[in-house]
Amino acid sequence: MKIKYKLLLLLLVSTLTPLFISLFITYNTVQKRLKEEFITYHTKEINQLNKSLQLSITDVDNKLMSIYQTSEIYNYVTAPAKDEPDLVEQQSRVKNLLIVLSGSLNNYSDVYLFVRPLHKLYSINAHERSIQSTPVVHEGDYAWISKAEAGDGMMTIFPTAPEPSDRVQPLFFIGRSIPDIIVKKPMAVLGVSMDANFFGDLLSNQYEHERIVVMNADNRPIFSTQKEVDKPENFIEITSEKNMYGWSVITYFPKSILEQTALQTVKSILYWGVLFLLVGIILAMFIALQISKPVAQLVRRMKDVGQGDFSVKEQDTNLSRKDEIGYLANQFDRMVFKIDELIQNEYDLKLSESYAQVKALQAQINPHFLYNTLTSIYSEALDAGATSITTMIKALSSMFRYTIEPGSDVVHLAREIEHIEHYLLIQKYRFEDKLTYSVDIAEHLLHIPTVKLSLQPIVENALIHGVAGKGKGSVHIKAVEEDDEVRIIVIDSGIGLSTDELNQLALHLTNKVNFEQHIGLNNVQQRILHAFPGSTGIQIESEIGQWTKVTISWKGIGHAQGVNCG
């Protein structure tokens, strides 16, 4: 394959790969964010909808109470008049109250008043608007009577059974029994049955593309805007909080809408990507031609030399360039004229090659080069006014310098605390408000010797296995001096450790069992015991799901044998 095609292929691969990766990441990120925003928005919406249902039911009950508490209703149901004229007058007033009640209600199916002493049922249908009086022979035909009476005067809500009728079917019943305050027995039931129109005004057209299901306190569906979905896995289900009546609202939203929205976002990126790709291909072809043409001419000249023709002296226009190819052509000419000399100097060239290899090895990145690079980045960020970046780089540089600097393995506690504060500062930028920390070290303890880099593995475990596992938390570091030992205590509010995990760690720290994990803890333990003989070392306590406390104890000033702080 010619070099120009290789260059073009390399450009296509290097361009298309990040493009497709970017599209994939963008699509998933947008879809995830849309889903989170959608769930948050619709959870708020259906909670508000459920609250509106609660208010509507309360409004119906308040209107029931407006005639429930009247003396006309109470006297009629507890002590019907003996004389016919008085009874007829009582009935007339009660009917008028029922008519007033029906006129104040919206989207109801029927208004009912069952009078037990007379075994009579008064009803007003929302469509007919006329009051009907029906004798009740079998109370079992009216299930709502016994259920309302069981409420003992409190508001009762329950679903109603379908009726053999062509009109809109009632979905649930709201009512109260009217007890005789003397004999403490239910004497009547006043209630309203509600149909689908009750929910229609609340839902309006806002949810016409969604399936809304209203569940009662028994978690039974009362109303649904659409039939049950065929494939639930293709829908997002969002459930509201229960209202004061135990009702909840569930909405099902198709995932395809989120996917289409995310796809539309990605399409714009794809269009721009294709445009840039086409421009890149054109530029690549031009650049490839500029590179491949002089290279091909140089190859032809090399073939001539390979066939013994050393008479090639004049350079072509394309090979007289000042770039690397021109330099290569010039060197080739020098090689042609000095071939014999170059053969004689083969040994020198090999020495030069070895020297170049040494230089290449010396140019490899080392810790000091990285530290100097961080310092340069810090200066650039400082000039650019990137305060947070300069703070992080400064902390990281200090940590790096502390880590690589030569000297003793034992340092003053002040330096170790400064190092761990830099580490926590960097982690604070990562966790943001999810992490809080504090460092409480008495001034007189800061000059006590300790093992270098002994705190970082402990704090790292507190963040990775504790705080990060819980999503948020705190880390507190303090120092005390007890029983001729200095004790650094690291407490986190993370997920904690089980009893089995604590026992395994204890065995690991005493070298009674070998684990591939927790190498850092064991390393710190061994270094402390070596540097400060007779010290306690690391002790771990925890409460699962609450906290973990790691205590590092070592002999204080005057007990470190042969220790010299670096």
Side-chain angles (χ1 to χ4, degrees):
M1 183 183 291
K2 292 185 177 181
I3 190 170
K4 63 180 179 181
Y5 299 123
K6 291 182 179 180
L7 290 172
L8 183 59
L9 179 61
L10 177 62
L11 180 66
L12 289 175
V13 172
S14 61
T15 305
L16 289 176
T17 300
L19 175 62
F20 285 119
I21 292 176
S22 175
L23 289 174
F24 177 78
I25 295 175
T26 302
Y27 176 78
N28 285 279
T29 302
V30 170
Q31 188 176 14
K32 181 180 179 181
R33 184 171 297 177
L34 285 174
K35 182 178 180 181
E36 292 174 351
E37 293 177 355
F38 167 82
I39 291 176
T40 301
Y41 172 77
H42 279 265
T43 299
K44 181 179 178 180
E45 287 291 313
I46 61 174
N47 281 333
Q48 185 60 41
L49 176 60
N50 198 22
K51 184 177 181 180
S52 298
L53 286 174
Q54 172 185 311
L55 294 175
S56 297
I57 293 173
T58 302
D59 181 62
V60 172
D61 183 53
N62 290 337
K63 291 175 180 179
L64 286 176
M65 291 295 294
S66 65
I67 68 168
Y68 174 90
Q69 297 174 335
T70 60
S71 59
E72 288 86 349
I73 293 289
Y74 182 78
N75 292 334
Y76 179 64
V77 301
T78 57
K82 301 294 185 181
D83 297 332
E84 184 67 23
D86 294 337
L87 181 61
V88 170
E89 184 179 351
Q90 273 187 330
Q91 290 176 345
S92 177
R93 288 197 296 267
V94 168
K95 289 180 180 180
N96 288 334
L97 287 173
L98 292 176
I99 291 173
V100 170
L101 173 62
S102 66
S104 66
L105 294 171
N106 296 317
N107 300 317
Y108 72 96
S109 179
D110 295 277
V111 175
Y112 296 105
L113 175 64
F114 168 70
V115 183
R116 178 169 292 283
L118 300 177
H119 291 281
K120 184 177 291 188
L121 175 66
Y122 296 97
S123 64
I124 301 177
N125 182 264
H127 299 283
E128 298 174 358
R129 293 289 184 176
S130 60
I131 190 165
Q132 303 291 329
S133 176
T134 308
V136 177
V137 179
H138 301 290
E139 290 185 17
D141 296 337
Y142 305 93
W144 52 269
I145 295 177
S146 59
K147 291 183 179 180
E149 289 180 342
D152 194 24
M154 302 299 293
M155 188 188 76
T156 307
I157 307 176
F158 51 85
T160 57
E163 298 179 359
S165 173
D166 294 334
R167 67 186 180 89
V168 178
Q169 295 292 309
L171 300 178
F172 64 97
F173 177 86
I174 305 174
R176 292 173 179 265
S177 64
I178 304 175
D180 188 321
I181 59 176
I182 304 299
V183 299
K184 306 296 183 181
K185 289 183 178 180
M187 305 303 292
V189 173
L190 176 64
V192 181
S193 62
M194 313 300 290
D195 55 27
N197 292 323
F198 174 79
F199 299 98
D201 285 351
L202 290 173
L203 298 177
S204 65
N205 296 326
Q206 183 179 357
Y207 303 95
E208 61 181 353
H209 298 298
E210 302 174 37
R211 180 172 183 252
I212 302 293
V213 181
V214 179
M215 311 291 286
N216 67 0
D218 298 327
N219 208 29
R220 292 174 54 190
I222 296 177
F223 173 78
S224 176
T225 57
Q226 300 176 10
K227 66 179 183 179
E228 188 173 353
V229 295
D230 296 330
K231 296 181 179 180
E233 65 273 12
N234 294 333
F235 292 81
I236 299 174
E237 178 182 316
I238 306 174
T239 304
S240 72
E241 299 174 352
K242 292 184 178 294
N243 61 27
M244 64 181 292
Y245 302 117
W247 286 26
S248 60
V249 178
I250 303 175
T251 180
Y252 297 85
F253 194 84
K255 294 180 180 178
S256 59
I257 295 180
L258 293 179
E259 294 170 354
Q260 291 172 5
T261 305
L263 186 59
Q264 290 297 325
T265 303
V266 173
K267 278 184 179 180
S268 60
I269 300 176
L270 178 61
Y271 293 151
W272 282 105
V274 171
L275 177 61
F276 289 136
L277 180 62
L278 292 176
V279 173
I281 291 175
I282 295 173
L283 291 175
M285 293 178 66
F286 176 76
I287 295 173
L289 185 62
Q290 292 295 313
I291 296 175
S292 63
K293 187 175 180 180
V295 170
Q297 293 174 348
L298 182 59
V299 169
R300 287 196 298 269
R301 291 176 62 182
M302 287 182 176
K303 288 181 179 179
D304 293 339
V305 173
Q307 294 175 358
D309 182 7
F310 292 92
S311 62
V312 180
K313 298 180 181 180
E314 305 234 351
Q315 290 188 356
D316 295 333
T317 303
N318 289 327
L319 295 180
S320 61
R321 306 179 343 171
K322 300 299 182 181
D323 57 9
E324 289 83 355
I325 296 177
Y327 175 78
L328 181 62
N330 183 55
Q331 295 303 310
F332 177 73
D333 284 342
R334 294 181 62 185
M335 180 191 69
V336 171
F337 290 114
K338 298 181 180 181
I339 186 68
D340 293 332
E341 182 181 354
L342 291 175
I343 292 174
Q344 294 297 325
N345 293 332
E346 183 179 3
Y347 179 73
D348 295 333
L349 288 175
K350 289 183 178 180
L351 289 179
S352 298
E353 181 181 359
S354 299
Y355 177 76
Q357 290 178 350
V358 171
K359 286 296 183 179
L361 290 175
Q362 291 176 347
Q364 290 180 353
I365 296 177
N366 53 52
H368 295 285
F369 174 72
L370 290 177
Y371 173 74
N372 293 334
T373 303
L374 284 175
T375 303
S376 300
I377 296 173
Y378 170 81
S379 298
E380 291 294 329
L382 187 63
D383 292 339
T387 306
S388 59
I389 295 178
T390 57
T391 302
M392 293 177 66
I393 293 177
K394 186 176 181 181
L396 182 59
S397 299
S398 299
M399 290 180 63
F400 205 69
R401 183 176 62 249
Y402 178 71
T403 303
I404 67 175
E405 66 182 4
S408 173
D409 192 41
V410 176
V411 298
H412 288 121
L413 181 59
R415 298 205 62 197
E416 185 68 9
I417 292 300
E418 179 185 17
H419 174 71
I420 207 61
E421 286 181 334
H422 288 149
Y423 174 77
L424 286 170
L425 175 63
I426 294 174
Q427 293 297 329
K428 179 66 176 177
Y429 278 95
R430 171 190 171 190
F431 288 96
E432 298 180 343
D433 294 336
K434 297 179 182 178
L435 171 65
T436 57
Y437 69 88
S438 64
V439 180
D440 183 15
I441 309 295
E443 185 71 24
H444 70 280
L445 297 178
L446 293 176
H447 299 289
I448 292 177
T450 187
V451 175
K452 184 178 181 180
L453 297 176
S454 58
L455 275 179
Q456 185 172 338
I458 310 299
V459 178
E460 279 183 353
N461 284 339
L463 291 176
I464 297 173
H465 303 295
V467 175
K470 203 170 185 179
K472 63 178 180 178
S474 60
V475 176
H476 302 286
I477 303 172
K478 64 179 181 179
V480 296
E481 194 173 12
E482 297 178 2
D483 302 330
D484 293 329
E485 280 193 333
V486 180
R487 296 181 180 177
I488 295 291
I489 302 171
V490 180
I491 304 176
D492 69 78
S493 61
I495 59 177
L497 298 170
S498 65
T499 303
D500 291 340
E501 291 174 323
L502 287 173
N503 293 336
Q504 288 179 349
L505 283 173
L507 290 173
H508 178 57
L509 292 174
T510 56
N511 283 326
K512 294 182 179 179
V513 66
N514 185 26
F515 287 94
E516 294 182 359
Q517 298 180 345
H518 307 294
I519 296 175
L521 288 177
N522 185 266
N523 177 273
V524 172
Q525 173 81 337
Q526 299 305 318
R527 290 166 59 213
I528 288 176
L529 298 181
H530 176 75
F532 304 95
S535 298
T536 303
I538 297 176
Q539 294 175 303
I540 305 175
E541 303 170 65
S542 183
E543 182 174 345
I544 189 72
Q546 298 295 324
W547 52 267
T548 298
K549 180 170 78 172
V550 180
T551 304
I552 310 174
S553 305
W554 70 95
K555 295 295 184 180
I557 298 176
H559 294 79
Q561 299 180 3
V563 169
N564 181 26
C565 293

